[in-house]
Amino acid sequence: MTDPTAGVQVAETTEGRQHFSDEPTGRRDKAIEGRSPLQIALSRLVKDKLAMVCAAVVLFFILVALFAPMITSALGVSTDVVRSCDVLECNAANPGVGYPKTGPPFYGFDAEHPLGLAPRTGADNLAHWVEGCRTSLLIAGSATLIASLVGIVLGLTAGFAGGVVDKIISFVTDFFLTIPFLLAALTIAPIVIERYSTGDSYATAQKVSLIGVLALFGWMGVARLIRGEVLSLREREFILAARVVGMPIHRIMLRELLPNLTAPIVISVSLMLPAFVAAEAGLAFLGIGVTGSPSWGQTISKAVPYWSNYSLYLIEPMLGVVLLVLSLNLLGDAIRDALDPKTRR
Amino acid sequence: MRRTKALAAAATGAALLTVAACGGSDGPGEGGDGGEFEEAGETIDKDPDRQGPAPDIEGAQEGGTITVYLPDDPGPEDLDPTNGWSVTGNSIQQALTHRSLTQYARDPESGEMILVPDLAEDLGQANDDFTEWTFTIREDATWETGDPITAEEVAWGIERSFDSDTFPSGPGTEYTEHFFEGAEEYDGPYSDPKAAESFDGVTFDNDARTVTIKMSTTFPDMDYWGAFMAMGPAPLGKESDPPAYGAMPLSNGPYKVESFRPSEELVLVRNDEWIPESDPARHQYADKWVFNFAADPTQTDELMLSGNTESQTSMSASITSENYQNFRDTLGDRLVQQSAQCTSFLSPDYTKIKEIEVRKAIAYAYDYESIWNASGEVPGVTRVPANSIMPPGMSGKSDYQVDGEQITFDPEKAKELLAEAGYEDGYDIHMAYATGSPTTEAAQEQLKRGFEEAGFNVTEYPVPIETSLYTIWTDPDNKINKKLNLRGVNWCSDWPSGLTMLPSLLRTGATYNTAFFSEEEIDAEFEEIPTLPVEDQPAAWGELDQRIAEEYYPIIPTAFRNDLFAFGEKIGNPTGDGALGAPNYKDLYVAP
């Protein structure tokens, strides 16, 4: 079977050979041996320092998200509701009414609450930050998974089948692209509340609906991209050859086409993830995100009025969102560069 | 009276949750830099003999422009006096542009609001059983055109209030409809023009300058109702046709409308035709007023705190709790706390929660201070503990304590009460709350925590913040409402009589009786008290308030509401209006 990136592979090995030319023969032979395009890309990625730093940051957030309950209990903080007047100043005659009795902004560092307490609720900021990270990644990760799966399946089908099927799928894709995402999200949120508010599964329903909304309006880009790629691959000799020898269609799609689409898929996924993290925070800020569990967007929307008096409260979740989105974006860029050397700067 | 603040609209539903009482904390540093406010004017007297001009305010000067910011408050939709029932619109128009039969004046020494005549020469003459009121219109009052205001124009203005379909948000829908004769058959001059010719519930005599109103029932509070601008004149004929008249009404107060953009800006300028001698309570000090509706709360706070030239002649009708401390430090006396004559309640369903012990347990389980704090109020300042149904400032308000002392958050006591009623294993509470706003969610979180500590099991039903909780609470067929056994209500008085509080909340079948309280003997009292001699009524309402609480405790008063107004350095006489719960626009001036 031929491979569109085969040429690149050859060029790369040639380059490798030159590079290793003054090294012992054994190593050189090893280098010449089969390295898949992905392996080559990975080796390029590893050499990219910025990408590695970003990967470390992303890994950090993923670990925090995975082990959130353990981290909070190890640090001795929790997201349990506390009586707000136990930890906040509720006496209007005292200075700092409405603000924490210990820690920032008016008192020194408090080891029990390293990132301070939230005004109004008295919630621990660190615990909420850690749990917020979990919510953010859970929602963005699931939405990315669903959106890319849907996008890949539809894109593959449309591109390969062509004809009426392609027309219908393309129409649906275009149709979804015309729906304003925010408007749809604002419309769906109250419907979900209406439907599930009397049941026990409200918190879950809210999360699922949010993932659904994000995925529903996130798959079109992938679908279009994949369809375009498939259209150009469909007429290539290796696909024709596979058809001629009578390979079943699903096998052609999975074994012949899909491996050649790894690059665009990895790229779109790595760029979709940060977009969803930001979108989730944005929706929470607008009051239509999750409410049952802590999230960065929620904290940001609560903290905005406190900017001048208690800036730390706003900076913490902002830092989380900014760092995660920035690292994911830069990492996505780096992956794209590694996979597609033609765009390399 | 309604509050139309966007936040309050959200909070009205939430307000019940939002609101609760704080038990005056006495933590360290008591009396540090004085969070104590002087109680602004509370009780309301009457002075039927007061005549214009209004006594000068000490040190007052003429000239200057006063800019008023109304954070998060869209203000009135139109300026038609007949349609004005919001605190914001009424307080501005009644003080500055539109006169009515009677009005309130602030006593500069005591801070009390006094009911004084306005367009009428006195506070009206009633027959023996208060079923017919006659007002004599003063001769020297004029429109902004310079034309005198006639009795016919006053009668016409009052007749307009019969038209509930044309003015659906006006106060006439409540008081004209319930108390004026003929309101049942007559739909008003615009909806029912044929009947208008033969309508004789409101009559006038232009020569004797009298307006006579017939009541369908005993109505001793007509003089208070006369202080609404809906009980004022309107130009005859086409000139006052709605909705055009609402966009640019003809003024008759010390100021006239220069421009009005709903939800944005209202500019008022001096009305040179206004005769000070004709008006017992209004002043004309500033040259110009600019009202900025729906201002951004955080930006307004920043401006008021900055102390720059612009802020010196500005004022704000509310501040945010996160800046309360800064305001107190920076503004001192120029931060005015004003009682809003409102009480917030929890309403346990009288048909489902039958034991008084359980209702009292709810009162002890409500974590007043924490819930206020979570909902962005300043405990003890913008929300204070409530003991009775009637808020401070109402005549006859009783200082009784249903359990001997102020009920505060006390989970142990709540548990004991539950055990007494036979619910050692907990009691299920079903309640709705507004979701989609951090404020209401945080308040609900605190409420739930307190309830659970006190031995209740709380099932919550989230409602999108865009839907007022009242639409659920007042709809008997709503599927969520059917499940609830704890609701709430937030009620403000329209004038300082128990008549505007108790029956509206506790009469069998009343719309805002969200507790579904129903006791025949109490309903009978509601009918009887208005027939008592006028001077005995306030005490009777106060006693009834206490009796209801002690015998039934059907609704749990959680808080009395206060507002905070911030005044710029050069605004003279920074005070509040205790009758409306608004800044005292009548007496403000710009100091040099």
Side-chain angles (χ1 to χ4, degrees):
Chain A
M1 127 186 138
T2 44
D3 187 322
T5 49
V8 180
Q9 187 177 4
V10 173
E12 195 65 21
T13 36
T14 322
E15 189 188 294
R17 195 185 298 159
Q18 283 161 356
H19 185 252
F20 294 118
S21 59
D22 46 8
E23 289 191 13
T25 336
R27 288 281 299 276
R28 187 172 58 197
D29 290 345
K30 218 175 172 183
I32 297 168
E33 266 170 36
R35 282 214 290 164
S36 75
L38 270 183
Q39 279 172 316
I40 297 164
L42 201 63
S43 73
R44 278 201 210 110
L45 196 61
V46 172
K47 281 182 218 142
D48 188 338
K49 280 186 195 124
L50 184 64
M52 284 302 101
V53 172
C54 291
V57 174
V58 172
L59 185 70
F60 166 75
F61 280 107
I62 291 174
L63 288 178
V64 167
L66 281 179
F67 300 108
M70 281 154 248
I71 294 172
T72 48
S73 66
L75 292 168
V77 292
S78 85
T79 52
D80 295 346
V81 180
V82 293
R83 184 166 182 251
S84 86
C85 284
D86 283 349
V87 289
L88 304 180
E89 183 57 68
C90 281
N91 186 349
N94 288 348
V97 59
Y99 289 91
K101 284 178 187 166
T102 56
F106 295 131
Y107 306 95
F109 177 77
D110 177 10
E112 277 182 40
H113 308 287
L115 293 186
L117 291 165
R120 297 202 177 179
T121 55
D124 183 272
N125 286 343
L126 178 60
H128 273 254
W129 192 88
V130 169
E131 290 286 342
C133 175
R134 191 188 175 100
T135 314
S136 284
L137 279 176
L138 174 80
I139 286 171
S142 320
T144 307
L145 193 71
I146 296 171
S148 42
L149 271 181
V150 172
I152 290 166
V153 170
L154 289 181
L156 263 180
T157 320
F160 195 73
V164 181
V165 178
D166 182 25
K167 282 220 169 93
I168 293 172
I169 294 179
S170 296
F171 174 77
V172 173
T173 314
D174 290 342
F175 175 71
F176 268 91
L177 278 171
T178 59
I179 302 177
F181 164 67
L182 261 184
L183 206 64
L186 279 167
T187 321
I188 291 172
I191 299 175
V192 172
I193 298 176
E194 174 79 32
R195 168 71 183 73
Y196 291 98
S197 60
T198 44
D200 300 329
S201 53
Y202 176 59
T204 324
Q206 218 180 18
K207 267 188 198 156
V208 171
S209 80
L210 186 56
I211 293 171
V213 167
L214 288 174
L216 195 64
F217 295 96
W219 59 269
M220 294 85 74
V222 187
R224 280 188 143 189
L225 188 74
I226 301 291
R227 175 179 167 270
E229 292 281 326
V230 172
L231 279 182
S232 72
L233 288 175
R234 196 174 62 176
E235 308 302 329
R236 298 283 282 271
E237 294 84 349
F238 70 100
I239 301 289
L240 290 176
R243 281 186 154 177
V244 167
V245 297
M247 208 184 243
I249 286 177
H250 67 91
R251 200 172 148 83
I252 297 179
M253 279 190 178
L254 295 178
R255 286 295 175 82
E256 302 290 332
L257 281 174
L258 205 54
N260 287 299
L261 296 171
T262 322
I265 291 172
V266 169
I267 291 163
S268 58
V269 165
S270 64
L271 293 176
M272 208 194 290
L273 197 60
F276 283 157
V277 171
E280 188 272 324
L283 288 182
F285 183 79
L286 292 176
I288 49 177
V290 284
T291 49
S293 42
S295 86
W296 284 339
Q298 263 184 77
T299 316
I300 292 173
S301 92
K302 285 182 206 165
V304 167
Y306 288 92
W307 170 243
S308 55
N309 294 333
Y310 187 5
S311 39
L312 186 68
Y313 183 36
L314 180 61
I315 290 171
E316 288 158 6
M318 290 287 279
L319 214 60
V321 176
V322 170
L323 261 184
L324 180 59
V325 173
L326 187 69
S327 320
L328 279 171
N329 264 325
L330 290 176
L331 188 63
D333 280 349
I335 292 174
R336 189 184 58 202
D337 291 349
L339 280 170
D340 190 359
K342 276 173 273 181
T343 63
R344 198 150 199 176
R345 287 166 297 239
Chain B
M1 187 176 294
R2 295 174 314 142
R3 301 222 141 229
T4 49
K5 284 182 186 178
L7 262 181
T12 39
L16 119 255
L17 314 167
T18 306
V19 172
C22 104
S25 41
D26 45 5
E30 174 79 7
D33 43 349
E36 301 294 313
F37 283 90
E38 279 186 33
E39 282 288 316
E42 298 216 322
T43 44
I44 295 184
D45 267 337
K46 296 181 188 178
D47 182 358
D49 302 324
R50 186 170 308 194
Q51 299 303 330
D56 264 327
I57 301 295
E58 213 182 305
Q61 299 264 339
E62 291 207 356
T65 299
I66 298 180
T67 310
V68 184
Y69 290 89
L70 299 133
D72 270 346
D73 184 342
E77 285 157 23
D78 63 66
L79 298 178
D80 196 313
T82 310
N83 210 18
W85 203 6
S86 73
V87 171
T88 311
N90 256 33
S91 62
I92 295 170
Q93 287 179 264
Q94 279 177 268
L96 303 173
T97 58
H98 285 91
R99 304 180 60 174
S100 55
L101 294 172
T102 59
Q103 63 177 330
Y104 297 102
R106 184 178 184 277
D107 184 312
E109 256 123 68
S110 64
E112 285 177 6
M113 299 306 290
I114 302 168
L115 189 71
V116 299
D118 190 354
L119 284 176
E121 284 176 352
D122 53 19
L123 294 177
Q125 301 298 326
N127 61 357
D128 290 343
D129 59 355
F130 299 99
T131 52
E132 187 177 301
W133 281 79
T134 303
F135 290 88
T136 309
I137 307 304
R138 62 178 74 242
E139 279 177 85
D140 45 0
T142 54
W143 292 98
E144 63 177 282
T145 53
D147 298 333
I149 294 170
T150 64
E152 186 177 7
E153 284 163 333
V154 176
W156 167 239
I158 294 172
E159 194 179 326
R160 290 173 101 230
S161 75
F162 282 78
D163 209 322
S164 296
D165 293 335
T166 310
F167 305 107
S169 54
T173 56
E174 173 76 18
Y175 299 108
T176 300
E177 290 295 328
H178 287 162
F179 294 110
F180 285 9
E181 190 178 281
E184 270 175 37
E185 304 89 48
Y186 181 46
D187 292 334
Y190 301 107
S191 302
D192 195 0
K194 278 181 195 159
E197 283 160 29
S198 58
F199 176 68
D200 60 355
V202 180
T203 50
F204 63 92
D205 182 337
N206 260 341
D207 297 327
R209 311 194 57 78
T210 56
V211 173
T212 305
I213 310 165
K214 287 185 194 138
M215 306 293 159
S216 59
T217 171
T218 287
F219 187 41
D221 288 343
M222 180 60 217
D223 44 357
Y224 287 120
W225 170 218
F228 276 76
M229 60 182 175
M231 294 290 106
L236 301 177
K238 279 198 177 307
E239 208 184 330
S240 62
D241 275 0
Y245 187 63
M248 193 52 93
L250 202 60
S251 303
N252 46 41
Y255 296 88
K256 56 186 176 186
V257 180
E258 187 183 75
S259 68
F260 173 57
R261 294 200 305 274
S263 301
E264 282 181 47
E265 194 187 53
L266 169 67
V267 181
L268 304 178
V269 290
R270 257 167 198 280
N271 171 12
D272 294 325
E273 300 295 334
W274 174 77
I275 301 165
E277 286 72 27
S278 75
D279 200 321
R282 292 182 186 84
H283 294 108
Q284 194 182 43
Y285 292 132
D287 288 334
K288 192 174 176 182
W289 292 80
V290 180
F291 293 89
N292 290 297
F293 299 113
D296 181 88
T298 314
Q299 281 174 15
T300 308
D301 279 7
E302 295 288 330
L303 174 77
M304 293 310 300
L305 286 168
S306 71
N308 63 17
T309 327
E310 195 191 339
S311 79
Q312 286 174 348
T313 57
S314 297
M315 53 174 291
S316 166
S318 77
I319 66 165
T320 66
S321 67
E322 46 272 23
N323 283 320
Y324 169 71
Q325 179 76 36
N326 294 352
F327 270 103
R328 209 175 69 188
D329 295 345
T330 317
L331 267 66
D333 288 347
R334 288 181 288 113
L335 180 65
V336 173
Q337 180 191 22
Q338 177 59 56
S339 147
Q341 301 234 351
C342 299
T343 315
S344 299
F345 302 95
L346 284 176
S347 317
D349 194 311
Y350 198 69
T351 59
K352 293 179 185 164
I353 301 181
K354 292 183 163 54
E355 301 85 351
I356 190 169
E357 289 87 0
V358 179
R359 294 197 288 271
K360 280 194 178 164
I362 293 173
Y364 282 106
Y366 191 76
D367 191 351
Y368 300 91
E369 274 186 308
S370 292
I371 294 167
W372 292 335
N373 193 27
S375 54
E377 302 297 339
V378 186
V381 178
T382 58
R383 293 286 184 274
V384 292
N387 70 306
S388 56
I389 297 167
M390 292 200 274
M394 301 198 56
S395 32
K397 178 197 177 308
S398 165
D399 285 328
Y400 71 89
Q401 293 292 353
V402 73
D403 265 6
E405 54 182 351
Q406 180 65 45
I407 292 180
T408 53
F409 176 56
D410 186 348
E412 293 310 315
K413 176 101 187 190
K415 270 185 195 163
E416 279 170 32
L417 283 164
L418 277 184
E420 258 177 58
Y423 298 103
E424 286 89 352
D425 304 329
Y427 193 93
D428 292 331
I429 290 287
H430 297 264
M431 63 188 301
Y433 76 101
T435 183
S437 141
T439 310
T440 54
E441 279 159 17
Q444 178 66 16
E445 226 173 45
Q446 291 292 320
L447 180 143
K448 188 177 179 185
R449 198 211 64 83
F451 271 36
E452 283 175 351
E453 190 183 338
F456 289 96
N457 310 313
V458 182
T459 311
E460 315 169 293
Y461 302 94
V463 174
I465 187 95
E466 295 78 17
T467 312
S468 161
L469 285 179
Y470 285 124
T471 57
I472 291 175
W473 287 334
T474 57
D475 175 7
D477 298 323
N478 186 289
K479 72 176 193 303
I480 294 181
N481 196 21
K482 283 180 186 165
K483 298 187 181 193
L484 304 180
N485 63 2
L486 183 62
R487 302 184 190 86
V489 62
N490 191 11
W491 197 253
C492 302
S493 67
D494 281 319
W495 58 79
S497 159
L499 181 71
T500 65
M501 284 302 281
L502 299 174
S504 314
L505 293 168
L506 295 166
R507 193 176 355 102
T508 305
T511 312
Y512 289 96
N513 181 354
T514 51
F516 298 113
F517 177 74
S518 174
E519 288 290 343
E520 270 176 32
E521 49 173 356
I522 299 297
D523 283 341
E525 290 277 353
F526 290 151
E527 296 299 320
E528 198 197 322
I529 293 182
T531 63
L532 296 177
V534 180
E535 59 276 14
D536 296 343
Q537 289 188 20
W541 286 118
E543 279 164 28
L544 183 62
D545 184 341
Q546 179 166 4
R547 181 178 152 201
I548 292 173
E550 283 171 354
E551 284 179 28
Y552 306 103
Y553 206 55
I555 49 175
I556 302 160
T558 56
F560 297 136
R561 288 175 58 138
N562 287 324
D563 289 322
L564 288 172
F565 309 130
F567 292 88
E569 232 168 278
K570 287 189 176 168
I571 304 278
N573 192 27
T575 49
D577 173 337
L580 282 166
N584 181 21
Y585 296 119
K586 281 178 187 168
D587 299 341
L588 299 181
Y589 61 92
V590 180

